[in-house]
Amino acid sequence: MKEKFLKILPYSGYVLFVGLGLLVFFVAAFLVVVVRTKEEQKVMMPYVIGKNYIEVHNELQRLQLKVRLETQRIPEKTDGIILSQSIDPGKEVEAGSKLYLTVNIGFDRVTIPDVKGQDLKRAKAILEKVLSGEVYVPLQIGGITYVPAVGDEPADTIIDQIPAPGKETHSGEKIYLLVTEANPEKKSNQSANDPTDSTNFVGTPVPFVIDYLQRKKIPYLLKETTKPEFRESHGLVSSFELKPTGAEVGAFFLKPSESFVQDYEFLTYEVDDDDVYSAKVSYTKPGEDTEIEKEILTNQSLKEDEPVRFLIYRAGNVKVTLTGKESGVAKVWKLKGTY
């Protein structure tokens, strides 16, 4: 027994030595990680007063600051700008620190009403008196786009709107209306769209112009987007040119700082095959199971590696499907708003 013990003893010492070595290694590695983590936890607080909260939201998230918003109403100041911050600019703080921001509410808060299916006169009356708390405030119409009626659509009627019904917003946000053309006898009093006038569609929501071109069976090409000077132009047409081959549409687009429940989305894809392509956008109304589809591209010939682009307005969850006549489904986008 003694001899066996003496034989095992050297091996146990070796095992003990290796075990202690591994322990020292892991403790040292752990300390290095802890020290680095502590160093990474220190962040420099930026100066955000006077900036719009939407513009700085991503930066504050990157710094891992826990933002808590408070509101104050100063009508003469811009809606959404930051009035004060609880941590002084330039101060070094730990990631995860709470930051209280006071944001200005320069407008009355409203819920966008549903005017789809209403005649234009009635819709204007509804938008003139939108409830905000205990008072009524008007919503400004940003523009009216007229399109030919299809099927049994009644004339002079709202068939779409941006923003969509139910959006929680402020009374300063403009609402855009898509309206079927009036009866022939009323057309003389109506400022209808004229595709030969390149300035007519500028400032109009891109999805409405695409709807017009689809109804008129005019092929189109959406060009690369440009950054707008003001956020209010986000999603609107920047240029429009009608050529013998179809319409070329330019668009203002500003990538949103977050994925809002309602916002514009810019989609692009280089097709794999020479083919004739069509695209549909589909969505489901809140509380309903029926899926609604609309074609946004119809039988357009595209060459291999040629880019196809869409700019859609997403209200909730939306799916866009690009399909080749011979090659089948080429691309599917599933878009979801988070808040």
Side-chain angles (χ1 to χ4, degrees), residues 141-182:
I141 296 177
I144 299 172
T145 304
Y146 291 97
V147 294
V150 173
D152 58 355
E153 289 177 338
D156 209 31
T157 301
I158 314 298
I159 56 174
D160 204 356
Q161 64 179 80
I162 293 178
K167 181 181 180 181
E168 301 290 337
T169 185
H170 55 79
S171 60
E173 182 165 6
K174 295 178 181 178
I175 185 167
Y176 294 85
L177 304 175
L178 188 66
V179 184
T180 53
E181 291 177 346

Side-chain angles (χ1 to χ4, degrees), residues 156-222:
D156 209 31
T157 301
I158 314 298
I159 56 174
D160 204 356
Q161 64 179 80
I162 293 178
K167 181 181 180 181
E168 301 290 337
T169 185
H170 55 79
S171 60
E173 182 165 6
K174 295 178 181 178
I175 185 167
Y176 294 85
L177 304 175
L178 188 66
V179 184
T180 53
E181 291 177 346
N183 293 323
E185 60 269 19
K186 295 183 180 180
K187 275 193 175 182
S188 59
N189 298 322
Q190 173 181 292
S191 177
N193 299 306
D194 178 7
T196 62
D197 182 356
S198 61
T199 63
N200 199 277
F201 287 116
V202 173
T204 299
V206 171
F208 286 0
V209 174
I210 300 307
D211 194 294
Y212 176 90
L213 295 171
Q214 285 288 106
R215 289 168 182 253
K216 287 285 190 178
K217 295 182 171 54
I218 300 174
Y220 72 89
L221 168 67
L222 183 63

